[in-house]
Amino acid sequence: MYDESTFPKIISVDDHIMEPPNVWQDRLPEKYRSVGPRVVRQKVADMQFVGGVFSYREAGEHEEGTWCDWWYVEDLRYPLTRVMAAAGYPRDEVTISPITMDDMREGCWNQTARLADMDVNHVEASLCFPTFPRFCGQTFKEREDKVLADLCVKAYNDWMFDEWCAGTGGRLIPLPIIQLWDAEAAAAEVRRNAARGGRAVAFTEIPAFLGLPSIHDPGGFWDPFFRACDETGTVVCMHIGSSSKMPSTSPDAPAAVGSTLTYMNAAMSMTDYLMSGIFERFPNLKLAYSEGQIGWIPYILERADKVWEENRGWGGVADKVLRPPSEYYRDHIYGCFFDDVHGMKNIDVIGVDNVTFETDYPHSDSTWPHSLKVAMDILRDLDDETVYKIVRGNAIRMLDLPFDR
């Protein structure tokens, strides 16, 4: 039985980076810098999150407000919030409110400080999702100038490899983004990043929610992207909210409703893939769901298998989903959690080889700096081999990491 001194160092497959202001300004051609991503400090008059929708308003010239750092690109104005960079704040002070880079813990954006915060948190390695590009690069998909958007995607990925992750001995794991609007360009970007050691890519949980073709598209819109991931061993990583749509019940529902229901996007997405036939066409493809927790997985697998077996005459999948959906799950999909007691009670059904761990630094849900205590408590009834797999072993295998060899 592990104790505090022997408990395996955590590999977190879901953390976040608050991009420093130089990411794009240092890398874009000069003619694009005035319209490309840049940080501007302005006051915010109002900011709220209601009914699953984040809204805000910049203060007028003579209006009262709170200072905030904003990302500007083309005509987009995007303010930073405290829930994005909550590390170090007492829980009662983690609110939907403006924040500047000066008000954040330095580990939110600085590599050296991040590594130090990981040390404090018993974390050896970390995979970080973006913030300003949003969880899979939606910000650039929405830009009118697609030449600029393409340059922004590549600049972010260059920064990710050459600056954020460089020199860390694999402790900071690259997570590039893609050109969501162009599957061929996305495939080329996957291959470019794989050639320099990348083994993960951020993608949207439900493309149709972004106005893109679904994964069921009869023309195979996404096939070039999935083929590139299949052939390079690149894991498709999908964070809750990467479809730019969070579950809620009404426009006036409090944020707590959506926060309780966040797993639903992951559940819908996983069902999509299980019923798509994609794993028959791309047998090496691997998917990873972040921050969706795992307690819901057994029922989805049970229901999917039942539908596959009993509704074959009209379900629309008999000719492409050739095995029970739960078998594809075992071979191709990873779940991720940080606080799921029900999931741990059902770990044998979920699969000890299909589960990874996260700390969600520096978001409001993060377990930092107490992730060791949290992990030891929630995993206390599991044997040492299972604990090792969940907190690090499965992540090493999934992402082909240079640890424990």
Side-chain angles (χ1 to χ4, degrees):
M1 181 70 68
Y2 291 123
D3 58 26
E4 287 192 9
S5 64
T6 60
F7 194 86
K9 284 287 188 74
I10 294 165
I11 295 179
S12 174
V13 299
D14 174 24
D15 293 312
H16 301 268
I17 174 68
M18 304 295 292
E19 297 84 13
N22 70 304
V23 172
W24 290 275
Q25 290 297 302
D26 285 358
R27 291 167 177 83
L28 288 177
E30 186 174 356
K31 71 175 183 176
Y32 285 108
R33 291 175 193 168
S34 62
V35 293
R38 58 206 184 278
V39 173
V40 177
R41 188 162 294 181
Q42 300 281 3
K43 288 183 178 180
V44 171
D46 181 61
M47 179 180 286
Q48 53 187 309
F49 186 75
V50 179
V53 177
F54 175 50
S55 60
Y56 47 86
R57 184 173 62 83
E58 186 174 342
E61 185 177 356
H62 302 294
E63 188 177 5
E64 290 295 321
T66 304
W67 285 109
C68 180
D69 280 344
W70 298 63
W71 278 103
Y72 284 18
V73 60
E74 290 188 334
D75 59 351
L76 175 68
R77 306 290 182 263
Y78 185 79
L80 301 181
T81 73
R82 189 174 293 185
V83 292
M84 299 172 177
Y89 281 97
R91 286 290 179 184
D92 288 348
E93 295 180 18
V94 178
T95 56
I96 306 293
S97 55
I99 195 171
T100 68
M101 301 290 286
D102 297 337
D103 298 325
M104 298 176 193
R105 189 172 181 84
E106 194 172 351
C108 294
W109 54 269
N110 176 275
Q111 185 203 74
T112 301
R114 174 63 66 95
L115 294 171
D117 279 355
M118 289 163 59
D119 290 338
V120 168
N121 204 32
H122 200 73
V123 172
E124 180 160 22
S126 168
L127 182 78
C128 290
F129 283 85
T131 297
F132 171 64
R134 310 220 296 280
F135 291 140
C136 64
Q138 304 102 298
T139 294
F140 302 129
K141 178 260 178 190
E142 295 164 0
R143 305 280 57 82
E144 288 190 15
D145 186 340
K146 288 300 188 287
V147 173
L148 171 61
D150 177 70
L151 290 169
C152 285
V153 167
K154 291 173 180 173
Y156 178 84
N157 293 340
D158 290 344
W159 170 82
M160 173 64 65
F161 280 88
D162 299 339
E163 192 167 326
W164 178 246
C165 298
T168 65
R171 294 192 66 190
L172 293 174
I173 306 162
L175 182 60
I177 56 178
I178 57 168
Q179 300 87 340
L180 288 166
W181 61 94
D182 185 335
E184 292 285 358
E189 190 64 9
V190 166
R191 296 184 191 279
R192 183 174 83 98
N193 293 318
R196 48 182 169 180
R199 291 297 179 267
V201 62
F203 189 55
T204 173
E205 60 205 351
I206 305 175
F209 284 0
L210 298 180
L212 295 166
S214 81
I215 64 168
H216 308 288
D217 177 54
F221 178 86
W222 294 109
D223 281 8
F225 168 68
F226 289 133
R227 184 175 296 110
C229 293
D230 176 270
E231 293 176 355
T232 61
T234 297
V235 180
V236 178
C237 299
M238 295 174 282
H239 197 284
I240 56 167
S242 57
S243 59
S244 299
K245 183 177 181 180
M246 294 298 287
S248 193
T249 56
S250 65
D252 55 353
V257 173
S259 185
T260 302
L261 298 174
T262 49
Y263 75 93
M264 291 184 65
N265 279 8
M268 288 190 290
S269 175
M270 191 173 86
T271 305
D272 235 8
Y273 280 94
L274 293 177
M275 296 300 190
S276 69
I278 279 177
F279 300 124
E280 289 292 339
R281 302 201 309 278
F282 304 110
N284 300 310
L285 187 66
K286 297 290 189 295
L287 311 180
Y289 288 97
S290 292
E291 208 170 326
Q293 309 303 333
I294 59 174
W296 51 271
I297 291 176
Y299 177 72
I300 291 293
L301 297 180
E302 176 186 328
R303 178 61 181 166
D305 280 357
K306 195 172 188 69
V307 168
W308 177 81
E309 181 65 37
E310 297 188 359
N311 297 346
R312 298 180 65 78
W314 59 270
V317 298
D319 61 336
K320 56 187 176 183
V321 181
L322 307 183
R323 294 189 285 150
S326 62
E327 293 186 14
Y328 295 110
Y329 164 79
R330 304 289 174 203
D331 294 342
H332 296 275
I333 299 176
Y334 293 86
C336 173
F337 81 105
F338 58 86
D339 184 15
D340 192 334
V341 174
H342 180 71
M344 289 300 94
K345 290 179 179 177
N346 292 276
I347 190 65
D348 289 338
V349 182
I350 296 167
V352 297
D353 295 317
N354 297 81
V355 176
T356 56
F357 197 74
E358 64 169 282
T359 71
D360 200 30
Y361 181 101
H363 279 191
S364 57
D365 278 338
S366 177
T367 54
W368 185 89
H370 308 297
S371 296
L372 173 59
K373 181 179 183 302
V374 169
M376 291 187 68
D377 183 57
I378 200 168
L379 303 174
R380 64 183 179 275
D381 295 328
L382 304 181
D383 62 77
D384 284 0
E385 180 182 4
T386 300
V387 170
Y388 170 82
K389 285 183 176 182
I390 290 173
V391 300
R392 83 184 268 115
N394 290 340
I396 291 172
R397 176 168 52 87
M398 179 177 84
L399 295 167
D400 191 26
L401 300 177
F403 302 111
D404 300 355
R405 293 179 176 173

